[in-house]
Amino acid sequence: MNFYMPTKVFAETNSVKKNKHEFAKLGICPLIVTGRHSSKVNGSLKDVEDSLTELNMKYYIFDEIEENPSVETCEKAAAYALEKGCDMVIGVGGGSPLDASKAIALLIKNPEKDGTAFYEAEELPWVPVAAVPTTAGTGSEVTPYAILTVHKWKTKKSISHRIFPDIALVDAKYLAYTDQRILISTAVDALAHLVEGRINVKSDRYNQMLSEYGMELWGKAKEALRRGQPAEEEYELLMEASTIAGMTISHTGTSLPHGMSYYLTYEQGISHGRAAAVFLTAYMRESKNEKLLGQITSKLGFRDLQEMSAFLKEILGEVRVAKADIERYVSELSADQKRLASTPYPVTAETLRRMYETSVSIYEQA
Ligand code: NAP
Ligand code: ZN
């Protein structure tokens, strides 16, 4: 068994303001890395700016991070940071700005490098990173992963460097600004992390403690996803479940549904969480481990796998994929042993085909 969680986590209401002195321990001139819009609306950017101003820290803002951030955007942000003399990064937003922050921190510390360094084996240092999550999905505030869109490879891929944020300032109040669509697609990402971490070759008693507790939290909040208009406590449950789920995959990594999701996100434009969660119950069913499936569904508050599957279908809606695309995905995935390595049961082309058939609506292209 192993356990490693180097991120200092502060999870409470008004976490940024209350723990602002933590920023000053990381550097003197932060680059705030965020998306174009949401952090200005939900108050997270203002909380960070006010805190830095109170600390008399000079800062700069890069607010051009897109969903599924690209290597090129990270290069652009790092060039801006270097021009301004920034020596630390504060990521504010969903998984996209948080992941981008880690990649940008690497380039700031290695100004002679460009984005090709993200995918090289050479060990490199990075400047400190703080993370302020505003979605309850990726858990990126406590994971070492940074998943970027690599256009030249036509896919998304985690960078080779393991960069844990130094601090995570977690506050569920920002979730009140998410609409139903974003809340669902991020919450099911956290669910996928919990389940893929539990059904995983690296599952052990330490990380099971995390995944099982995370499932209980998620289960208590799940009705809010169907109903809409979550109560404050439900936002808190979802945020806590997401951070715990991040701690789980920091140890196990994700598994087959995430591996299958990247095609749907890159080629079909389906959001990250929805693209992974659509395969979740098929992934569980293929394990054929009735005892474990009973444990998972009961922690999540479902009677059985069938009820869980119906719930997910209802909140995720229909995902349509062309037959020819599926054939290509099956052949590429079944040849990619690395991507299948975390699944604790044999995966053949037939397994994958079955998973597609039971998870998405397949149509013949005209
Ligand atoms: P996201 O791509 O960061 O953001 C999705 C959308 O939500 C954006 O339009 C964003 O607006 C908006 N948004 C963010 N917070 C909001 C709030 N509080 N209220 C209203 N709108 C809000 O979504 P995400 O699902 O959190 O992150 C997905 C990315 O994380 C993917 O690239 C995925 O591969 C990666 N990921 C990373 C890990 C990891 O361990 N590092 C794990 C899983 C997934 P703005 O653009 O205006 O900000
Ligand atoms: Zn994910």
Side-chain angles (χ1 to χ4, degrees):
M1 297 198 287
N2 72 85
F3 187 85
Y4 182 61
M5 178 34 59
T7 305
K8 229 173 165 183
V9 185
F10 300 87
E12 57 183 320
T13 307
N14 298 325
S15 182
V16 170
K17 289 264 178 93
K18 281 188 193 150
N19 301 292
K20 62 173 188 275
H21 52 277
E22 293 290 330
F23 289 134
K25 296 180 188 169
L26 302 181
I28 50 173
C29 180
L31 177 74
I32 301 176
V33 170
T34 190
R36 286 187 193 275
H37 183 66
S38 66
S39 65
K40 295 172 187 119
V41 177
N42 63 37
S44 53
L45 181 60
K46 184 170 186 318
D47 282 350
V48 172
E49 287 195 79
D50 288 352
S51 299
L52 295 173
T53 304
E54 285 159 24
L55 291 163
N56 285 320
M57 287 173 80
K58 193 171 170 56
Y59 62 87
Y60 294 90
I61 300 176
F62 183 86
D63 63 1
E64 296 174 34
I65 302 297
E66 70 276 44
E67 289 183 39
N68 307 301
S70 66
V71 168
E72 292 77 13
T73 303
C74 295
E75 288 178 327
K76 185 176 175 194
Y80 177 67
L82 286 165
E83 180 196 316
K84 300 296 180 190
C86 296
D87 63 351
M88 61 179 277
V89 182
I90 304 176
V92 182
S96 296
L98 301 196
D99 282 10
S101 301
K102 300 171 190 175
I104 294 162
L106 191 84
L107 288 189
I108 296 178
K109 189 73 178 179
N110 302 280
E112 73 289 358
K113 301 273 184 190
D114 63 20
T116 53
F118 295 150
Y119 296 100
E120 285 169 357
E122 183 191 3
E123 277 189 34
L124 296 169
W126 52 87
V127 298
V129 178
V132 180
T134 66
T135 60
T138 71
S140 179
E141 68 276 13
V142 292
T143 75
Y145 313 122
I147 295 107
L148 303 183
T149 297
V150 191
H151 290 300
K152 68 176 173 190
W153 295 332
K154 293 193 166 35
T155 190
K156 293 177 61 183
K157 194 169 162 50
S158 189
I159 67 171
S160 4
H161 311 268
R162 289 178 61 89
I163 303 179
F164 279 100
D166 295 81
I167 61 167
L169 303 179
V170 185
D171 187 344
K173 75 179 180 189
Y174 306 128
L175 297 182
Y177 297 82
T178 51
D179 60 26
Q180 178 90 345
R181 185 183 56 86
I182 291 176
L183 192 71
I184 290 175
S185 68
T186 49
V188 295
D189 187 22
L191 173 68
H193 296 165
L194 293 166
V195 173
E196 290 176 46
R198 184 63 187 82
I199 305 179
N200 193 296
V201 288
K202 290 200 183 136
S203 164
D204 68 23
R205 279 309 306 161
Y206 287 162
N207 58 59
Q208 283 164 24
M209 215 164 63
L210 294 166
S211 59
E212 289 174 7
Y213 175 59
M215 287 176 200
E216 282 175 25
L217 299 169
W218 200 94
K220 283 183 194 150
K222 67 178 183 300
E223 269 313 312
L225 302 174
R226 184 150 60 180
R227 187 192 67 230
Q229 303 198 319
E232 199 180 313
E233 308 82 70
E234 289 168 323
Y235 283 129
E236 279 165 9
L237 286 165
L238 288 172
M239 190 57 116
E240 191 180 342
S242 168
T243 305
I244 298 276
M247 291 179 187
T248 306
I249 57 163
S250 292
H251 294 89
T252 60
T254 53
S255 184
L256 192 50
H258 267 67
M260 294 169 80
S261 78
Y262 295 129
Y263 293 107
L264 296 193
T265 299
Y266 191 86
E267 295 187 19
Q268 322 272 345
I270 295 171
S271 71
H272 170 72
R274 195 164 164 245
V278 74
F279 300 113
L280 209 51
T281 49
Y283 175 67
M284 292 167 70
R285 194 173 299 114
E286 290 294 336
S287 78
K288 301 189 173 75
N289 184 339
E290 295 304 325
K291 188 168 166 231
L292 179 56
L293 295 185
Q295 282 167 5
I296 293 174
T297 48
S298 116
K299 292 265 174 220
L300 289 166
F302 292 112
R303 210 171 33 245
D304 52 24
L305 192 60
Q306 214 179 336
E307 192 187 36
M308 177 172 174
S309 177
F311 177 89
L312 286 178
K313 282 214 159 76
E314 183 183 338
I315 62 169
L316 294 174
E318 188 188 30
V319 172
R320 284 167 52 79
V321 187
K323 192 160 192 241
D325 287 337
I326 289 182
E327 279 310 314
R328 180 164 47 86
Y329 303 159
V330 166
S331 103
E332 281 182 28
L333 277 164
S334 52
D336 188 347
Q337 284 311 312
K338 231 172 123 191
R339 241 194 296 193
L340 305 178
S342 53
T343 300
Y345 53 80
V347 179
T348 62
E350 283 65 45
T351 320
L352 292 164
R353 211 167 278 121
R354 223 172 18 242
M355 286 178 69
Y356 279 108
E357 280 164 6
T358 52
S359 306
V360 302
S361 304
I362 303 173
Y363 65 91
E364 301 270 357
Q365 219 150 11

